[in-house]
Amino acid sequence: MTPLLKVTDLTKHFPSKNNKIFGKREFVHAVDNVSFELNVGETLGLVGESGCGKSTTGRLITKLIPTTSGSIEFEGREISKMKASEFKELRPQIQMIFQDPYASLNPRHTVGTIIATPLKIHGINPGVDVKKQVQELLEIVGLNPEHYNRYPHEFSGGQRQRIGIARALALKPKLIIADEPVSALDVSIQAQILNLLQSLQSDFNLSFIFIAHDLAVVKHFAQRVAVMYAGNIVEVSDHVSLYASPKHPYTKALMSAVPSADPDASGARERIRLSGDIPNPIDPPTGCRFRSRCWKAQDICATKPPLLQIGKSMVACHFPEN
């Protein structure tokens, strides 16, 4: 089966703010040689600590920022090198839900205008009443259609995120990049938004890349999970195998930090505390980037380990667990 999305050796280096007019230019290695696939109707969770390159990867796929190198294939078409005019045809197919429901909506525009703008720009159903389309979308995401003329400040955080979801849904996309869509919301509202996204995925056969740092949320929502560290993917696995038996030492350390509701289970589990600091993204270590903090590191770790199949997981490690 041809994947909906195929990312190969995706790389993004940002110029450092420390660059001077003369001298060697420095670059921040935000994303380095990231590769993965996403099938139709599937959710891939992208997890890792802050600054590991998760959100940058999402913005590269949606072409909000240009790639440094690498390939992004959507339905078999290479999009990473497309010009904006060429990509406009595919833009409706790839949409994004942003992390901050307060900052992602224009406070000067009504909800109706916010959701209708993409429809007008791309000429979706030009013969149909736009207001009616917007009100239908509001109803689909669980909002009152009569709130069409209200402004974002009149809604709660959870309601604003529903507006953002309606905007992403307006163009009938095949792929949605959800960049930490519930991290800015109250815990009581998070489950409602996750259930809404799952319902929409079932109803519209959507594919998701779900970016998050909350591993419990990803376990609930994603079928497969990719773990990132310092711009690299270190492990990809189905969510059951990943949580039950992590193979990469970093994944194991990450899982040990997940809080448990069962005090007995929490006490029995080994908490792995990493020494050292996250590598400098301007001058990352050679080979495995986790080796400067890994308790298994040896000389061979100075050479980069390939992402290889081990059981049900793809792991980039010379000394995987189990």
Side-chain angles (χ1 to χ4, degrees):
M1 182 174 64
T2 304
L4 176 71
L5 180 74
K6 183 178 181 181
V7 175
T8 308
D9 294 332
L10 186 62
T11 299
K12 180 62 180 178
H13 296 167
F14 293 99
S16 170
K17 294 180 179 179
N18 298 327
N19 285 331
K20 304 294 189 295
I21 296 176
F22 302 103
K24 184 180 177 181
R25 290 180 61 80
E26 296 180 333
F27 292 88
V28 176
H29 295 238
V31 176
D32 259 335
N33 300 312
V34 163
S35 301
F36 61 83
E37 294 182 357
L38 179 72
N39 296 317
V40 175
E42 183 185 31
T43 297
L44 175 71
L46 201 55
V47 304
E49 58 199 85
S50 297
C52 70
K54 308 185 300 295
S55 296
T56 301
T57 300
R59 282 164 168 73
L60 290 169
I61 293 169
T62 52
K63 287 183 68 67
L64 293 179
I65 54 177
T67 61
T68 299
S69 64
S71 167
I72 304 171
E73 293 181 30
F74 181 76
E75 294 187 319
R77 297 177 64 180
E78 171 59 55
I79 65 173
S80 63
K81 304 298 186 292
M82 279 186 179
K83 296 179 181 178
S85 56
E86 296 174 305
F87 187 63
K88 186 176 180 181
E89 175 193 345
L90 288 174
R91 171 64 70 191
Q93 311 278 343
I94 307 173
Q95 292 295 300
M96 192 162 190
I97 300 170
F98 296 94
Q99 176 179 358
D100 190 346
Y102 296 89
S104 62
L105 304 178
N106 191 328
R108 296 173 180 268
H109 291 172
T110 64
V111 169
T113 301
I114 289 169
I115 300 175
T117 298
L119 293 168
K120 293 176 179 177
I121 290 174
H122 291 279
I124 305 296
N125 300 330
V128 181
D129 180 16
V130 173
K131 181 177 179 179
K132 183 179 179 182
Q133 290 182 70
V134 172
Q135 289 182 323
E136 288 175 356
L137 286 164
L138 287 172
E139 196 165 14
I140 287 171
V141 298
L143 293 174
N144 190 337
E146 302 306 316
H147 293 166
Y148 177 88
N149 288 318
R150 288 193 178 186
Y151 288 85
H153 74 268
E154 299 180 71
F155 295 88
S156 66
Q159 288 174 322
R160 291 187 200 191
Q161 196 60 290
R162 289 175 187 267
I163 295 167
I165 293 170
R167 178 177 58 186
L169 206 62
L171 298 177
K172 300 180 180 178
K174 295 180 180 178
L175 169 63
I176 292 181
I177 314 292
D179 186 6
E180 305 206 33
V182 297
S183 64
L185 306 178
D186 292 340
V187 175
S188 59
I189 306 299
Q190 290 183 4
Q192 296 178 19
I193 298 299
L194 290 173
N195 290 336
L196 170 63
L197 292 175
Q198 285 186 318
S199 175
L200 294 174
Q201 182 174 33
S202 176
D203 293 344
F204 298 100
N205 195 29
L206 297 170
S207 301
F208 279 95
I209 292 179
F210 192 86
I211 299 168
H213 62 264
D214 189 331
L215 295 169
V217 169
V218 174
K219 184 179 181 180
H220 175 75
F221 191 71
Q223 289 89 47
R224 285 193 305 129
V225 183
V227 181
M228 288 190 73
Y229 180 79
N232 291 166
I233 285 184
V234 296
E235 184 168 357
V236 183
S237 180
D238 68 274
H239 71 282
V240 175
S241 300
L242 189 85
Y243 284 77
S245 180
K247 298 290 189 294
H248 196 281
Y250 173 68
T251 310
K252 184 177 181 180
L254 204 62
M255 293 300 171
S256 76
V258 178
S260 173
D262 183 355
D264 295 329
S266 180
R269 184 175 56 191
E270 178 190 3
R271 175 72 168 90
I272 299 173
R273 301 185 184 278
L274 299 176
S275 60
D277 298 319
I278 299 171
N280 181 354
I282 295 177
D283 185 25
T286 58
C288 176
R289 292 191 177 170
F290 186 59
R291 69 187 177 96
S292 59
R293 307 176 74 191
C294 183
W295 60 94
K296 289 187 166 189
Q298 297 184 27
D299 292 344
I300 193 175
C301 297
T303 61
K304 186 167 184 174
L307 197 64
L308 298 177
Q309 189 80 39
I310 300 177
K312 295 182 179 180
S313 304
M314 297 284 289
V315 187
C317 182
H318 293 294
F319 304 101
E321 297 287 320
N322 306 316

